[in-house]
Amino acid sequence: MKEMGASFKELVQCFNTLVLTTQHNMKMMLPDLKNAKDYIDITVDALQSNADQPLNDQDRSDVEMALDGMCCGIRNLLLLSQKSRERSEKLDEDIKNLQQVVQNKRVIVEGRIDFGEQFKIIAQVIGAAGVYNATNALATNWVQHLERIPGLIRVGSLIYPPLRPILVSVVLGGITVATISMLVKQFWLKHNRRALNILENLFDHLMRLKEANDHFTKYMRNSEANANNVLINIKTLHRQITSSTPRIRKMNQAVCQRASNATCSMIDGIEKILAIDMEDWTSFSNQGILRV
């Protein structure tokens, strides 16, 4: 149980580090992206002035300077988005693996609780038929009864230990069946119900962490797509900017407009990432998940 709690805390810390580091790096890039938007506006102005005429040398120089100024910042954002997205996807796999471990443990604990709650029937069998017949019943008919409970046979002896020697030893030692029933109720059930509460609490928090990480992954994918879109449009402009035909010049205007829209989307996405509130997760990573 402690190992699962420690694993969850490690996942939360990993998520905190990932988001906070990405926020810091993107905050540093935001001024360059806003400058890139200004460069695009310069390019649009150059293409729109005397739109029916070829670009003059000054217009061409302004456009090329604007495109060169955009490339560096956009490439850096693309690399950051790719790395953060890959780390987020790896974290998602780790979260899913821990969820599976917790779920398997829940099945075991629920089986133990079911056994403890059915112990009154076992006690009645012992009182009516004696130790020998009762233990035979546990070894045959009772186990057959338990096999009808979904999900319990798969975990086998982890849920149902060899009870015949335990009960025989206990009765021969002078402990009554009523005492056994009381001990099962007070200790066995109490311990396993507490364990189940911890596991359910842990599973709920894993679901919350997965949901938060899924949102972050989505932001990174959108940022990556927008950055790639801008770079493609910049390459297109670089290829065609020297053309003097009105048709290509009009096409460049459309390409430039798409680049402008994608840059605005990038800036909006970064501002959403910067707005992610990590205070709850940061404080939560210092709390004990095993407290219920």
Side-chain angles (χ1 to χ4, degrees), residues 19 56 64 72 74 84 96 98-99 107 109 116 128 134 149 169 177 188 191 208 230 249 254 262 272 278 283:
V19 176
N56 57 39
E64 289 178 349
C72 182
I74 301 299
S84 296
K96 289 179 180 177
L98 185 55
Q99 282 180 316
V107 171
V109 173
I149 301 176
S169 299
V177 173
W188 174 269
H191 168 76
R208 286 182 52 206
V230 173
R249 184 165 178 166
K272 289 180 179 178
M278 296 300 295
S283 60

Side-chain angles (χ1 to χ4, degrees), residues 9-196:
K9 185 175 181 180
E10 183 178 344
L11 292 177
V12 172
Q13 291 173 341
C14 181
F15 178 67
N16 285 339
T17 301
L18 172 60
V19 176
L20 293 174
T21 301
T22 303
Q23 285 179 326
H24 171 74
N25 291 335
M26 286 193 165
K27 187 175 183 179
M28 299 292 289
M29 291 180 179
L30 192 56
D32 286 339
L33 288 176
K34 290 181 177 179
N35 289 337
K37 180 65 170 62
D38 294 336
Y39 286 133
I40 292 178
D41 292 338
I42 292 174
T43 306
V44 172
D45 289 339
L47 292 171
Q48 287 179 344
S49 61
N50 298 318
D52 57 341
Q53 299 294 325
L55 290 176
N56 57 39
D57 291 341
Q58 185 61 53
D59 288 338
R60 189 177 291 109
S61 175
D62 290 344
V63 170
E64 289 178 349
M65 181 184 67
L67 296 177
D68 291 339
M70 291 173 62
C71 280
C72 182
I74 301 299
R75 285 197 187 99
N76 289 337
L77 177 63
L78 179 60
L79 290 174
L80 174 62
S81 299
Q82 287 175 337
K83 290 180 179 179
S84 296
R85 187 254 308 159
E86 290 169 358
R87 291 175 60 190
S88 182
E89 289 174 345
K90 174 62 170 60
L91 178 61
D92 184 67
E93 289 299 318
D94 293 338
I95 293 172
K96 289 179 180 177
N97 290 337
L98 185 55
Q99 282 180 316
Q100 187 61 53
V101 171
V102 173
Q103 182 61 24
N104 291 341
K105 190 67 174 178
R106 283 173 64 181
V107 171
I108 294 174
V109 173
E110 287 171 352
R112 290 173 177 171
I113 292 174
D114 182 74
F115 170 79
E117 290 175 343
Q118 297 294 329
F119 193 79
K120 288 183 180 180
I121 300 175
I122 301 175
Q124 293 172 359
V125 172
I126 294 175
V131 174
Y132 179 80
N133 291 334
T135 53
N136 275 336
L138 289 173
T140 55
N141 297 333
W142 178 249
V143 171
Q144 292 174 5
H145 169 71
L146 295 177
E147 289 175 352
R148 293 194 295 271
I149 301 176
L152 299 186
I153 296 307
R154 181 170 59 84
V155 295
S157 61
L158 290 177
I159 299 179
Y160 303 108
L163 293 176
R164 177 185 298 184
I166 295 175
L167 292 176
V168 171
S169 299
V170 169
V171 174
L172 292 178
I175 302 178
T176 65
V177 173
T179 303
I180 301 172
S181 180
M182 181 187 68
L183 291 174
V184 167
K185 182 178 180 180
Q186 291 186 354
F187 296 101
W188 174 269
L189 283 176
K190 182 179 179 181
H191 168 76
N192 282 284
R193 282 171 178 159
R194 180 178 180 274
L196 184 60

